[in-house]
């Protein structure tokens, strides 16, 4: 029998006005809480137009970008490019190093969530790659009054074919008022729910959550499977993200996430020497 998860902590995302084409930003998962959020580093919610995120490098981590509104073009120095539309997501493995841009199409304002996912030391030099997860091809689990879109990991008997260096569940929950759904997770996973719209109750204690709130999942036995129950008080749209903690030191400087200061210095030297380019 699965352990029932509760909610350990709830917080409301605060938003700041941006400057220029970066209209607004909110820190869903504020950076710096490396041990608590492991394997997650941060999550930002952005509203932005062309010119906000031109070419910039990454090493040692992954980004998961989920588009709520607008059309977002991405390009990189390894030959990759594409356009993400509402409901699409992308898992980008920076690994050993990549330079990319994220730019809305002309006239578009993109509303997105971007999660930074750490990589273990054994994977920080992985070959860079993109996985574009298009809304129309994402597997869907359907229950009475509920739809779960599975971008990574599984929900019930529905499994995504996304490849992960770090075991990861990333699902979008769409639940009609009065309905409920249960999401299963390995007991070892850290995780959270972010409410995009609506109001509901969550977990074994029925903790209330509403739009723009984060609900951090309580811990459970690492040796058992677990479940978290989501009940919609009014039509609910939320994402649930959970992953296997890495348990390694985190040294993050700008776009690079490594295990030591020397590795950070080396990342900057390699970037300046052009070593992030495709060989």
């Amino acid at each position: 029998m699965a352990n029932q998860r509760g909610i350990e902590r709830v917080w409301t995302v605060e938003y700041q006005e941006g400057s220029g084409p970066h209209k607004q930003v909110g820190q869903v998962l504020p950076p710096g809480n490396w041990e608590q959020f492991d394997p997650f580093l941060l999550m930002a919610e952005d509203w932005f137009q062309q010119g906000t995120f031109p070419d910039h490098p990454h090493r040692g981590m992954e980004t998961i970008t989920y588009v709520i509104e607008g059309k977002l073009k991405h390009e990189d120095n390894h030959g990759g490019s594409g356009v993400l539309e509402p409901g699409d997501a992308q898992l980008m493995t920076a690994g050993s190093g990549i330079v990319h841009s994220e730019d809305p199409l002309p006239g578009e304002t993109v509303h997105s969530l971007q999660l930074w996912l750490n990589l273990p030391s054994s994977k920080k030099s992985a070959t860079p790659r993109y996985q574009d997860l298009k809304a129309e091809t994402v597997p869907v689990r359907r229950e009475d009054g509920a739809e779960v879109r599975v971008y990574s990991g599984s929900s019930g008997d529905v499994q995504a074919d996304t490849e992960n260096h770090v075991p990861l569940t990333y699902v979008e929950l769409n639940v009609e008022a009065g309905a409920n759904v249960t999401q299963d997770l390995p007991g070892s996973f850290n995780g959270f729910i972010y409410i995009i719209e609506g109001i509901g109750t969550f977990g074994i204690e029925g903790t209330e959550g509403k739009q723009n709130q984060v609900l951090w999942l309580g811990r459970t036995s690492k040796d058992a499977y677990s479940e978290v129950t989501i009940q919609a008080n009014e039509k609910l749209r939320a994402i649930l993200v959970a992953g296997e903690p890495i348990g390694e030191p985190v040294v993050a400087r700008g776009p690079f996430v490594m295990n030591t200061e020397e590795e950070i210095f080396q990342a900057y030297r390699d970037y300046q020497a052009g070593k992030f380019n495709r060989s």
Side-chain angles (χ1 to χ4, degrees), residues 199-211:
I199 299 173
T201 56
F202 302 83
I204 194 169
E205 297 95 0
T207 303
E208 185 174 277
K210 59 186 179 181
Q211 184 175 359

Side-chain angles (χ1 to χ4, degrees), residues 210-277:
K210 59 186 179 181
Q211 184 175 359
N212 302 332
Q213 286 191 324
V214 183
L215 297 94
W216 189 262
L217 300 179
R219 301 274 185 166
T220 186
S221 170
K222 293 183 178 180
D223 300 322
Y225 246 70
S226 67
E227 293 178 343
V228 58
T229 299
I230 297 97
Q231 169 84 38
N233 296 353
E234 60 181 52
K235 188 173 182 179
L236 182 74
R237 182 183 182 190
I239 62 161
L240 185 154
V241 189
E244 185 71 52
I246 294 169
E248 294 180 353
V250 174
V251 180
R253 297 288 183 272
F256 306 139
V257 183
M258 305 302 290
N259 298 110
T260 68
E261 291 283 356
E262 175 51 36
E263 289 171 343
I264 291 289
F265 296 146
Q266 188 62 52
Y268 275 101
R269 288 192 291 265
D270 288 348
Y271 169 58
Q272 291 161 359
K275 293 183 179 179
F276 284 21
N277 296 329

Side-chain angles (χ1 to χ4, degrees), residues 5-11 28-30 33-41 115 189-194 202-203 205 207 213-219 228 241-243 245:
R5 293 236 192 177
I7 302 301
E8 181 179 286
R9 184 181 163 210
V10 179
W11 64 91
V28 177
L29 297 185
N33 301 283
W34 315 132
E35 187 173 352
Q36 179 191 355
F37 292 164
D38 187 12
F40 310 116
L41 299 159
L115 177 71
F189 277 22
N190 258 341
F192 65 96
I193 297 165
Y194 178 59
F202 302 83
E205 297 95 0
T207 303
Q213 286 191 324
V214 183
L215 297 94
W216 189 262
L217 300 179
R219 301 274 185 166
V228 58
V241 189

